[in-house]
Amino acid sequence: MKVLGITDGITCGAAIVEDGEILAAVNEESLVRLKMAYGFPRQAIREVMAFVGLQPDDIDLVTVATNNNHFFDGIRAWDGWFQRDAGSARNTIFMLAGRAASLAVIPGVEQLYYTSRSPIFAQRRRRIGAIVAEEFGIRAKVQFVNHHLAHCTSAYFTSGFDNALVISMDGGGDGDASHIYTVEDGMFRRVGHTSAFHSVGNYYSYVTEVCGFKAQKHEGKITGLAAAGEPKYLDLLDSLITFSNGQLRNNGRVVFAGGIAAIEKRLPRAWRREDLAASIQIHCEDLVVRYVTGYLARYPMADLAIAGGLFANVRINQRLAEIPGIERLWVHPGMSDAGLAVGSALATCMRNRKALRMAPRKSVLGDVYLGPCYSESEIASALSENGLEYSRSSCVEKEIARLLAEGYVVARFNGRLEYGPRALGNRSILYHPADRSVNDWLNRLLVRTEFMPFAPSTNIEHAGDFYLNVEPARDSARFMTVTFDCTDWMKSTCSGVVHLDGTARPQLVRKEDNPSYHRIIEEFGKLTGVSTIINTSFNMHEEPIVCSPQDAIRAFRLGHLDYLAIGDLVVKSPEPIKHELRSMVQGRRPATATV
Ligand SMILES: [Fe+2]
């Protein structure tokens, strides 16, 4: 059974899933070059169909994960809303207002939107059916999947777990901010949920706005900023959103503008955004840990699988991995609503397991290189069209490692685009990890404001040399979804990637996931003694990660980067700058360390 999964909300996208296996997944933002592009994912559908080589008749079902509120979904289906910048104030207000209004959804009515043939409830399904039929020739039936069920199936069916507690948490979707399921051998049983009115994620967004950033877009900056502040406002936040009697409670009785005003009103005149960031971060961590621990006490499970925008917060994920009794934590790599296309398709495979005569595969996700790729002739002609000279490397990985060891910045473009928010070596900017100042000058070149240092990529077999307590989140960390406390060896050798609080959010690289990237790090290790490099996403300020060779060339030039290694071809900038590096090897190397 071939399922076309769609999400048409924030960071919309499409995926092809066959009998539970993800064959292709891409988000519209990569193709239309608009961060968090919002609306019907026309280009993404074309891309995944072409990539898998499918004809319209090959699609057996179209699935759509619903978003926010069914009434508002009807409005959003208008073309006028498509492709808007999700970070715009108008859209932010629209989305959060939609969540508030979703409280009006009466229990039981939701099901009608999924199944009823009545025009009142089936309008949006029919509209999507008409778009896919008229524009793509796909005549398959359209099915809706609940927002949080889609998050949860995306988590479970990629985790490799047999039995697990599966949790979604986000700002809100379909009237809820969280669903909790116990899953035994693929059988989902919902054991709890939290209404979007009591959303912790929304409070994180309110604080993001209060601190002068954009809600729904810049929450990661707050996570980074938190390490520089003192949690002075925990009581203030606890008076608004708290945990009592086993449930999350919005005591502020406010949403969006009211939530922002409630925080501002309670803050002292002289407040620092670092302190407010530290407060919301710690408060959120505590609330989420108490919420999850409460369900674990009632439904004891050793394995935890999670998805939803709140789990883009790498520090919260670290706290969950550290809960006593948790043996494994799995964070779905496309944890935000960008992953709902995959999630809805997996949910549909689960529902149709009898027809499939099998459960969807619940194998651990191999890799997430599920997006577009380009042939060498396409790459070469893009370079020529842009007047760039290049050389072909006999071993591009060795050459990149040498350039990094010498202190150059290398932009790496290789193979298929990553699914999910992180660049994982195929669309990444690479650099030496020993230079603390890189976080200033490279961010300046890329016109970025970040408060968290760049992330490291470490070959997984050396993870124990660099990070503490890796085991519970070892698999998840292949996708840069969790922070770890760093070893002294890491702190002394890789100061460019260690945060003020002594943590880092690494990508642990397995050879079988990305042999080329693994080789680069291995060769770098041979030259420097350290099997870790800096990996930051290959994009300019507020732009999506580069997708095509043209995008890569543009960002390479705008960012004044030193080298572009695109496939086996290497382009040298007119004036590469060799950055001064202090000695890599400092402090005492752990006795167990291997290169
Ligand atoms: Fe969501």
Side-chain angles (χ1 to χ4, degrees), residues 1 18 85 153 215 220 281 285 305 333 335 425 432 465 510 518:
M1 174 190 269
E18 182 173 15
D85 180 355
T153 50
Q281 180 61 35
E285 288 174 19
M335 74 293 281
H432 202 296
D465 297 345
R510 283 196 322 194
H518 186 274

Side-chain angles (χ1 to χ4, degrees), residues 245-527:
N245 295 329
Q247 287 301 323
L248 296 163
R249 292 266 166 243
N250 177 3
N251 296 332
R253 299 273 151 216
V254 285
V255 290
F256 193 57
I260 293 168
I263 295 166
E264 284 175 335
K265 199 168 75 185
R266 286 166 173 79
L267 279 170
R269 196 173 287 171
W271 63 276
R272 290 172 66 235
R273 62 182 190 175
E274 289 84 352
D275 296 336
L276 184 57
S279 305
I280 191 69
Q281 180 61 35
I282 288 177
H283 191 50
C284 263
E285 288 174 19
D286 287 344
L287 292 182
V288 174
V289 167
R290 289 170 75 188
Y291 183 67
V292 172
T293 309
Y295 279 97
L296 281 169
R298 267 176 279 166
Y299 307 99
M301 294 273 187
D303 293 336
L304 187 59
I306 57 177
L310 195 67
F311 300 124
N313 190 311
V314 286
R315 290 280 302 160
I316 289 178
N317 298 346
Q318 179 179 1
R319 289 284 307 275
L320 292 177
E322 290 170 352
I323 292 176
I326 288 294
E327 285 176 18
R328 291 182 295 179
L329 170 78
W330 172 253
V331 187
H332 181 68
M335 74 293 281
S336 72
D337 286 4
L340 288 174
V342 165
S344 73
L346 288 169
T348 300
C349 290
M350 175 179 76
R351 275 185 197 156
N352 291 281
R353 71 176 71 219
K354 278 196 184 133
L356 288 173
R357 297 209 186 99
M358 60 174 277
R361 292 179 200 193
K362 49 181 191 286
S363 55
V364 66
L365 197 60
D367 63 62
V368 289
Y369 305 105
L370 296 165
C373 69
Y374 300 84
S375 67
E376 189 172 297
S377 63
E378 286 175 294
I379 292 168
S381 52
L383 294 173
S384 303
E385 279 166 26
N386 284 277
L388 289 175
E389 286 183 16
Y390 58 86
S391 59
R392 181 184 306 280
S393 179
S394 57
C395 182
V396 74
E397 290 83 8
K398 262 189 170 178
E399 188 167 344
I400 294 169
R402 181 181 56 77
L403 291 168
L404 295 174
E406 287 175 5
Y408 293 107
V409 177
V410 181
R412 178 66 171 147
F413 181 109
N414 193 41
R416 294 180 73 175
L417 174 73
E418 294 88 344
Y419 156 72
R422 309 275 181 235
L424 298 169
N426 279 6
R427 303 288 188 279
S428 292
I429 295 171
L430 314 178
Y431 186 64
H432 202 296
D435 179 4
R436 180 90 200 162
S437 70
V438 65
N439 291 287
D440 296 326
W441 60 259
L442 187 51
N443 273 324
R444 233 184 354 260
L445 281 177
L446 299 169
V447 204
R448 292 182 192 164
T449 321
E450 293 298 336
F451 304 104
M452 204 180 269
F454 292 125
S457 288
T458 302
N459 279 349
I460 200 162
E461 57 273 27
H462 302 294
D465 297 345
F466 297 94
Y467 314 104
L468 299 168
N469 194 25
V470 170
E471 254 348 281
R474 190 183 180 84
D475 252 326
S476 242
R478 292 188 290 127
F479 308 103
M480 220 184 255
T481 54
V482 59
T483 47
F484 295 116
D485 293 336
C486 295
T487 61
D488 290 341
W489 167 248
M490 174 78 172
K491 289 176 191 168
S492 67
T493 56
C494 302
S495 60
V497 290
V498 179
H499 204 7
L500 296 171
D501 57 6
T503 64
R505 43 166 181 159
Q507 172 196 5
L508 300 183
V509 184
R510 283 196 322 194
K511 194 171 187 174
E512 57 266 47
D513 294 342
N514 193 334
S516 172
Y517 195 44
H518 186 274
R519 177 88 193 269
I520 292 169
I521 300 169
E522 191 174 75
E523 295 295 335
F524 183 80
K526 284 181 196 167
L527 294 171

Side-chain angles (χ1 to χ4, degrees), residues 129-159:
I131 295 176
V132 293
E134 287 162 19
E135 298 185 25
F136 300 91
I138 298 168
R139 307 270 160 203
K141 203 168 142 190
V142 176
Q143 287 188 350
F144 281 177
V145 175
N146 174 279
H147 187 100
H148 283 275
L149 178 62
H151 275 316
C152 287
T153 50
S154 77
Y156 176 77
F157 287 111
T158 56
S159 69

